[in-house]
Amino acid sequence: MVTKRILKIALAATYLFCISGVVSQDIPSLKELFKNDFLIGAALNISQITEKDPVEDALIRRQFNSVTPENIMKAEHMQPRWNEYNFEPSDQLVAYARKNNMKVNGHALIWHSQLPPFMRQMKDKDSVRSFFVNHINTIAARYDGKIDSWDVVNEALEEDGTLRKSIFWEKLGEDYIVEAFRLAQKAAPNTKLYYNDYNIEQPKKRAGAIAIIKKIQAAGVRIDGVGIQGHWRSYDMPLKNIEESVKEFAALGVEVMFTELDLGVLPNPWDGNSAELSKTSEGSARMNPYTAGLPDSVAQTQAKAYADLFKLFLKYRQYITRITFWGVGDGHSWLNGWPIRGRTNYPLLFDRQLQPKPAFFSVVATGK
Ligand code: G3I
């Protein structure tokens, strides 16, 4: 009943705003609405950090009090060549966040993906160790006191909960995660330290994440929180597992965050019923069905999924410290290019014109 009412209000509000063409100051502010509950963040790209579009910038400043760099703090950008660091974009991010009173979550110190080219084929253990130690020490120390937190290790797990066979695992052994946190703790004593991964709401992978956290704690090393990324699909929300995960992670005494939230609406090639993905035009059209716009029924399913999620976040607000969306408007979402390039996806709260969607208003309704 309550959900139906929320959806009705959300749809009516969206319609009114669409016909009037909303400017960002006219709509409620998520960071204000949830200010006593958790931070509301967004992943930003370099054009957003450097304020290229004033309309988008106004929207970002009104809605968010936390920022995660979508790409610029990853290793390939921070250390493009051996021992040569590029701090400029990250310094711009720090200045932007300070000016706008936003927290910054650094993303990410140690990740197997988006590594600098010189690292990708590195065979020698000592060289991998040098990169690992120097990268963490240099960057964590430079931004200590300037940013609030780090995703120290990102995506170290396989789906079955075992450790991913990354270059770090292979060359440094399974203790590399504890070591990464130990180095970060020393280099950045004033910065919170997090483990971040996707699908860790799923039982097997969750157990892997719990094992990582316990191992770090048992070694007497600091870990402040865990980030559940939250790349889900509106039509297939693992709500029960999400709730279980919040409880189990919170029981370890660490902060719980949702760090890369987006709820896609498109079928995935590995969905049971879309296995006939083919290169035929019929196949491609089936995998990219909403090029002409988001149908109301799909927008409503998404609005309900977001509302269910935020109700759950509010229920556990004493443990959850931040909700970060992986982008601002649908037009720039990574999900337009993955797992199939060139699709039209609609995973966020703002559309391609940066107008609020039904999902935005359904989230707002949970906060009132
Ligand atoms: O900037 C270049 C551009 O110059 C070039 O013309 C273009 C051609 O492909 O590529 C551009 O770089 C792309 C970059 O995004 C910026 O748009 C890279 O190819 C592309 O690989 C990169 O994708 C990023 C992806 O991580 C890489 O793994 C996405 O933006 C980013 O949203 C995504 O974020 C990850 C999180 O860090 C970790 N969790 C999963 C999440 C989604 O994949």
Side-chain angles (χ1 to χ4, degrees):
M1 271 324 270
V2 177
T3 304
K4 267 196 172 161
R5 215 170 57 226
I6 289 177
L7 283 176
K8 270 191 184 159
I9 297 169
L11 275 175
T14 310
Y15 177 71
L16 280 176
F17 280 116
C18 283
I19 55 170
S20 58
V22 63
V23 290
S24 63
Q25 302 309 316
D26 294 342
I27 57 171
S29 158
L30 297 177
K31 71 175 182 191
E32 282 302 318
L33 263 175
F34 296 107
K35 69 174 181 229
N36 297 322
D37 306 312
F38 23 70
L39 293 166
I40 298 287
L44 299 187
N45 59 37
I46 191 67
S47 343
Q48 293 162 329
I49 290 160
T50 51
E51 305 166 38
K52 290 284 183 291
D53 175 349
V55 174
E56 185 169 35
D57 191 47
L59 176 70
I60 293 168
R61 282 188 281 112
R62 179 154 172 81
Q63 295 299 334
F64 304 108
N65 49 17
S66 170
V67 45
T68 300
E70 186 176 1
N71 284 300
I72 59 166
M73 281 187 134
K74 293 172 180 173
E76 69 175 354
H77 296 286
M78 296 263 18
Q79 193 184 166
R81 282 164 298 281
W82 180 259
N83 213 21
E84 269 183 41
Y85 293 88
N86 175 21
F87 296 124
E88 200 188 335
S90 302
D91 290 352
Q92 288 176 309
L93 165 69
V94 168
Y96 174 80
R98 185 170 293 164
K99 183 170 87 177
N100 293 312
N101 206 14
M102 292 168 173
K103 305 268 187 204
V104 177
N105 177 57
H107 174 83
L109 285 173
I110 295 298
W111 188 29
H112 65 280
S113 186
Q114 286 182 281
L115 282 170
F118 68 82
M119 269 297 289
R120 291 181 196 154
Q121 306 302 328
M122 202 174 268
K123 298 276 180 292
D124 172 54
K125 280 186 185 172
D126 290 342
S127 305
V128 174
R129 175 158 296 283
S130 292
F131 168 84
F132 179 83
V133 172
N134 294 337
H135 191 79
I136 297 175
N137 280 346
T138 306
I139 296 168
R142 180 183 174 97
Y143 291 101
D144 192 39
K146 295 189 173 139
I147 69 171
D148 299 274
S149 53
W150 272 111
D151 293 334
V152 177
V153 176
N154 193 41
E155 301 176 4
L157 288 163
E158 302 282 0
E159 297 308 297
D160 66 0
T162 60
L163 291 182
R164 186 191 286 273
K165 311 302 174 275
S166 70
I167 185 169
F168 301 111
W169 177 89
E170 218 174 86
K171 304 292 181 195
L172 308 178
E174 62 175 40
D175 286 345
Y176 84 90
I177 302 177
V178 175
E179 285 315 307
F181 278 81
R182 200 193 300 278
L183 289 165
Q185 169 176 13
K186 195 149 183 257
N190 305 300
T191 310
K192 293 216 171 166
L193 308 178
Y194 302 144
Y195 177 72
N196 189 54
D197 210 332
Y198 58 88
N199 287 351
I200 51 170
E201 74 284 352
Q202 298 298 326
K204 284 188 186 153
K205 207 166 175 181
R206 185 199 312 157
I210 290 171
I212 287 177
I213 297 167
K214 284 188 168 165
K215 190 168 173 179
I216 296 169
Q217 292 174 329
V221 173
R222 177 164 63 88
I223 173 166
D224 299 293
V226 57
I228 301 170
Q229 292 188 1
H231 298 294
W232 294 306
R233 280 163 286 156
S234 303
Y235 54 86
D236 186 21
M237 292 294 295
L239 281 177
K240 258 194 126 119
N241 280 330
I242 297 171
E243 181 159 10
E244 277 309 305
S245 307
V246 174
K247 289 195 221 163
E248 290 184 19
F249 288 136
L252 301 174
V254 294
E255 295 173 30
V256 182
M257 287 149 289
F258 291 84
T259 52
E260 303 188 13
L261 185 58
D262 49 21
L263 305 185
V265 301
L266 298 180
N268 270 347
W270 49 82
D271 283 349
N273 58 2
S274 43
E276 344 138 38
L277 166 69
S278 64
K279 298 223 165 13
T280 63
S281 54
E282 196 195 335
S284 328
R286 198 170 26 239
M287 296 310 285
N288 190 18
Y290 311 129
T291 50
L294 183 63
D296 272 357
S297 60
V298 182
Q300 279 183 53
T301 302
Q302 183 183 54
K304 180 178 180 311
Y306 266 113
D308 290 345
L309 210 44
F310 268 76
K311 281 185 235 164
L312 197 153
F313 295 160
L314 287 167
K315 182 171 169 194
Y316 293 96
R317 56 194 278 278
Q318 73 186 106
Y319 306 115
I320 299 176
T321 53
R322 172 166 55 91
I323 311 296
T324 292
F325 294 89
W326 205 244
V328 179
D330 286 337
H332 290 133
S333 165
W334 72 292
L335 287 172
N336 294 305
W338 187 92
I340 300 172
R341 279 170 187 268
R343 295 200 296 179
T344 309
N345 209 332
Y346 302 80
L348 296 163
L349 301 187
F350 300 94
D351 69 16
R352 284 171 166 71
Q353 283 71 46
L354 300 174
Q355 299 294 304
K357 293 159 61 182
F360 172 82
F361 292 104
S362 75
V363 168
V364 166
T366 65
K368 285 189 167 159

